[in-house]
Amino acid sequence: MTIRTRFAPSPTGYLHIGGVRTALYNWLFARKHGGQFILRIDDTDRQRNVEEALRPILDGLRWLGIDWDEGPEVGGPLGPYYQSQRVDRYRDAVERLVASGGAYYDYAAAEEIQAERAEAERQKRTFRYSRRFMAETVADRRRFEAEGRRAVVRLKMPGEGKLIIDDAIRGRVEFDWANEQDHVVQRADGSFLYHLANVVDDRDFQITHVIRAEEHLSNTPRQAFIIETLGYERPAYAHLPFVAEPGSHTKLSKRKLNKYLKDRDFAELLERGRKIAARIGHPLEADAFNPVIVDFYRSVGFLPEAIVNYLALLGWALDDKTEHFSRPELIAAFSLARVNKAPASFDPRKLMAFQERHFHALSPERKVELVVPFLEKAGLVQSPPSNERKKYIENVTAAAGDRIKVAGDILDSDDFFQADDRLEYDEKAVEKNLGKEEALELLTKLRDRLATFEPFTPDALEAMLREFVETERIKIGQLIHPLRVALTGKSIGFGLFDTLAILGRERCLRRIERALAAAGKTS
C-alpha cells in the first residue's frame, strides 16, 4: 500500500503555527514511508477571494520546504483539488446516502429544532431530534414544500451501539452512537458541509492516513458513518495534540495577541519583528504580522529550517535529549508512535534558541545571501550588490556575530551602510560622550594618528589604541566611547577595533571630522 496523507487548509490568507505543524507531520509521515503528500483546498466559502487568500498559504508552505506531490499549481491525476470544483461529487454522495436510508430530507425550521433542544434541556436529557419533519416519501416532500418549507439533508444516525476507532496517537477511542446528532450534510441552499466533502475527498484522493488536529476527533463518528454507508474503506486516524499558548494548556490563537504580550518572551519576539518591519516598510497592522502566523517569521528573517526543527518538536520527540535535526534526519526519525497526547506549549524563547543555533551554523556566504534583501528593502545597499559590496557585508555580519539572530537584525548595523555625510547621531550619546572638551581633544589627536597608521587591521589598531591610552594616561573608556559615537552615531555596538577596520581609514577620518564639527570643534 502506498501511504497518502493530506493537508486541507481553508484559503484564509495566513498559515497558523498549529496548522503548519499538522501539515509538517503529514509531510514527514509521507516522506518517511515513501508515500505522497496531497494539498487540498477547502474553499467552500463562496464570498472569499480564493486566489488572493491562497497565495500566502502556498508561498508559506514552499518557504518551509513542505512540498506537495499533488494539488494546486502541481496538478495530479485525481483532481480537481479545490472543493469548489467538486460539487458534483458531493451531490452524488448525498443522493446515495438518501437512497440507502443513511440520510433523509428534513423540513424542520430552525426555531422548531431549537424548541426541541430547549425542551430536552428543561428535562435534563440529551437532545436527539425527533425527526418530526423527516420526509420519508415523495408525497411527504411535496406536502412540506406546499407549506413553504425548505429541506436540508440530515444523516440518519444510529441510536444505539458504539463506534470504535483505533487512533494511532490516542489508542482505542469509543463513541456512543446514542450521543450523536442527525448532522446536516447539505444545507437548504444546496451547499455541502465540511464533514461530507471531507469524506468524499479523502476517498477520491485515496488518502490512507488522516493525520489532523484533535478538535476534529468529535467529527469522526459522523464521518465514519458516512464512510460505512457509502461503502468506502475507512482510513487510519491520528489526532494530534493542539499547539497551546505560551505556558498554558489553551489552544494558541491569532486573535489573542494582546493576551500573549503579557508573556515577556512573546513580547520581545513581536518587538523584534516590529522593529525590523518598520525599517523595510512591512505593514505592521496586517493579520500576518503576528508571531502565531508563519509569515511573520519569513518577513523578519527567520530560517525555515529552524521553524521546521522547532515545530517538529511541538508534540513529538525522538528521545529525551536529541533536539537538533536536519531535514533528512527528521524524515528518518519521525513516527506517529512518538507523538504525545498532551498539548505542546509554544515557547518563543526556545524557538529563538533554535533560530540562533541554525543561523550561526551557516556559512558566511549564506548569511550574506539572507541579510542582503533586508538591506535592499531598507535602501541601505543597491540591488544587486557588487561582489566588493558583498564582501563588505560579510565583514559586517561576521563582526556583528551573535548580535544577528535573524536576518533582519542586520538593520541594527545600519550605521555601516549609511553615507558618511548622512550618518545619524543619537543626541543623548553625543551629549554624554562628545560634550566635553577633553573628549574632543582626544579625538583630534587620535584622528592624526589614524591618518598615517599602518596596517589598518583589528589587531594592529587595538595595539595602537592601547598604546595611545597609556601615552595619554587615560582610561580606555575615555577614548573608546567618544570614538564609537563618532564612528557609528551610537553608544553601543560590536567590537570597536573591527568597526575601525571595516569602515577603513578614509571613512573613519571623515566620520571623526564630522563628529568634531558637529560637537563644535574643527581641526
Side-chain angles (χ1 to χ4, degrees):
M1 176 184 69
T2 299
I3 299 294
R4 288 173 64 88
T5 65
R6 51 79 169 169
F7 180 56
S10 297
T12 56
Y14 57 86
L15 270 173
H16 185 280
I17 285 288
V20 171
R21 200 276 310 269
T22 297
L24 175 62
Y25 281 11
N26 275 275
W27 184 85
L28 288 171
F29 187 77
R31 295 291 177 260
K32 168 72 174 286
H33 296 283
Q36 283 99 44
F37 173 65
I38 317 304
L39 182 62
R40 186 178 78 224
I41 307 303
D42 289 357
D43 63 333
T44 51
D45 187 343
R46 300 171 184 172
Q47 304 302 315
R48 187 171 283 146
N49 184 329
V50 174
E51 183 60 33
E52 180 180 339
L54 184 59
R55 177 52 47 200
I57 295 175
L58 301 184
D59 290 347
L61 289 173
R62 285 199 174 100
W63 176 67
L64 291 167
I66 302 176
D67 58 332
W68 51 99
D69 301 291
E70 298 175 26
E73 301 183 350
V74 172
L78 303 177
Y81 294 90
Y82 293 81
Q83 284 190 344
S84 59
Q85 300 172 15
R86 299 177 53 77
V87 173
D88 289 345
R89 293 291 300 128
Y90 310 144
R91 184 178 296 111
D92 176 69
V94 167
E95 290 173 356
R96 290 175 56 199
L97 285 169
V98 172
S100 68
Y104 60 93
Y105 292 99
D106 177 52
Y107 286 85
E111 55 269 23
E112 290 163 335
I113 296 289
Q114 183 56 38
E116 289 195 13
R117 189 183 303 277
E119 180 62 20
E121 291 178 0
R122 189 183 69 79
Q123 297 180 13
K124 298 182 179 180
R125 59 177 172 81
T126 300
F127 167 67
R128 293 261 317 185
Y129 174 45
S130 67
R131 299 176 183 167
R132 175 185 170 192
F133 296 94
M134 175 176 67
E136 299 186 272
T137 65
V138 173
D140 287 341
R141 295 193 65 186
R142 289 174 179 168
R143 175 168 55 84
F144 286 133
E145 288 169 5
E147 296 175 6
R149 294 176 177 271
R150 299 179 67 193
V152 298
V153 178
R154 293 184 183 274
L155 295 176
K156 198 173 186 179
M157 301 293 285
E160 57 185 24
K162 291 180 180 293
L163 169 69
I164 299 175
I165 298 293
D166 291 320
D167 191 279
I169 295 171
R170 299 173 187 281
R172 181 186 174 98
V173 183
E174 296 185 0
F175 300 90
D176 289 325
W177 286 120
N179 293 330
E180 292 298 317
Q181 304 299 321
D182 285 0
H183 303 284
V184 175
V185 292
Q186 185 176 17
R187 301 181 183 91
D189 65 2
S191 61
F192 303 93
L193 273 78
Y194 164 81
H195 41 266
L196 174 89
N198 187 68
V199 166
V200 173
D201 290 346
D202 283 347
R203 189 263 187 180
D204 286 356
F205 296 144
Q206 301 172 11
I207 302 303
T208 61
H209 291 71
V210 173
I211 304 170
R212 60 188 181 183
E214 68 174 289
E215 58 258 36
H216 293 290
L217 185 60
S218 61
N219 296 331
T220 306
R222 72 194 77 169
Q223 293 171 352
F225 177 76
I226 294 172
I227 289 170
E228 181 178 341
T229 304
L230 293 177
Y232 296 166
E233 183 176 350
R234 189 191 297 174
Y237 288 103
H239 287 89
L240 307 173
F242 60 77
V243 176
E245 299 172 350
S248 169
H249 290 290
T250 303
K251 185 179 178 182
L252 189 70
S253 169
K254 83 179 189 74
R255 296 176 179 85
K256 297 181 180 180
L257 180 59
N258 289 334
K259 174 184 177 182
Y260 304 153
L261 291 179
K262 296 177 182 178
D263 177 270
R264 184 183 65 182
D265 297 324
F266 198 99
E268 287 180 357
L269 179 61
L270 181 60
E271 182 56 32
R272 177 186 297 272
R274 284 178 170 169
K275 184 178 178 182
I276 294 169
R279 292 296 306 273
I280 62 176
H282 189 286
L284 294 174
E285 303 306 319
D287 284 345
F289 203 76
N290 181 332
V292 174
I293 305 303
V294 166
D295 197 57
F296 169 87
Y297 300 96
R298 182 170 57 153
S299 66
V300 301
F302 274 72
L303 290 170
E305 51 266 41
I307 301 293
V308 166
N309 193 162
Y310 176 69
L311 289 182
L313 297 174
L314 274 181
W316 171 87
L318 177 63
D319 50 42
D320 60 357
K321 60 180 182 294
T322 310
E323 286 193 331
H324 188 83
F325 292 89
S326 66
R327 190 72 57 110
E329 289 170 341
L330 267 180
I331 293 172
F334 185 78
S335 71
L336 292 175
R338 299 196 67 85
V339 175
N340 298 319
K341 297 179 184 179
S345 181
F346 177 75
D347 185 341
R349 176 178 293 184
K350 194 163 188 177
L351 171 58
M352 184 58 73
F354 276 90
Q355 166 63 21
E356 290 183 52
R357 187 185 307 163
H358 280 272
F359 192 86
H360 295 321
L362 297 175
S363 68
E365 295 78 14
R366 177 61 176 150
K367 289 181 180 178
V368 170
E369 182 182 334
L370 291 169
V371 303
V372 161
F374 290 89
L375 293 170
E376 291 175 339
K377 290 176 183 176
L380 295 173
V381 300
Q382 291 185 339
S383 179
S386 65
N387 289 335
E388 180 182 359
R389 195 60 166 164
K390 286 182 180 178
K391 184 60 180 177
Y392 179 82
I393 296 169
E394 182 180 321
N395 291 338
V396 174
T397 304
D402 59 9
R403 290 175 179 269
I404 300 181
K405 294 176 172 57
V406 303
D409 285 343
I410 189 65
L411 301 179
D412 288 339
S413 301
D414 57 347
D415 41 290
F416 285 87
F417 301 95
Q418 292 175 0
D420 299 330
D421 60 353
R422 301 187 67 180
L423 180 67
E424 297 179 1
Y425 290 92
D426 181 298
E427 292 183 5
K428 291 183 179 179
V430 170
E431 182 179 353
K432 179 179 179 181
N433 296 285
L434 298 178
K436 295 180 180 180
E437 184 67 24
E438 53 265 34
L440 302 181
E441 292 289 350
L442 286 172
L443 276 182
T444 301
K445 290 180 180 180
L446 181 63
R447 176 201 59 189
D448 296 337
R449 291 285 298 273
L450 291 173
T452 58
F453 181 77
E454 290 289 354
F456 219 79
T457 62
D459 290 344
L461 286 164
E462 180 179 5
M464 184 270 284
L465 260 67
R466 293 193 182 281
E467 184 272 330
F468 180 86
V469 166
E470 290 182 11
T471 301
E472 295 295 324
R473 297 185 178 184
I474 60 173
K475 295 179 180 180
I476 194 166
Q478 291 176 260
L479 176 66
I480 285 181
H481 298 312
L483 180 56
R484 183 185 299 281
V485 174
L487 295 176
T488 68
K490 303 173 183 176
S491 58
I492 58 173
F494 49 77
L496 182 61
F497 313 118
D498 285 324
T499 297
L500 286 160
I502 290 170
L503 288 171
R505 184 196 321 280
E506 296 307 318
R507 295 188 70 192
C508 288
L509 295 175
R510 284 198 296 269
R511 291 189 174 200
I512 292 173
E513 288 282 1
R514 185 163 180 259
L516 291 170
K521 179 177 176 64
T522 58
S523 58

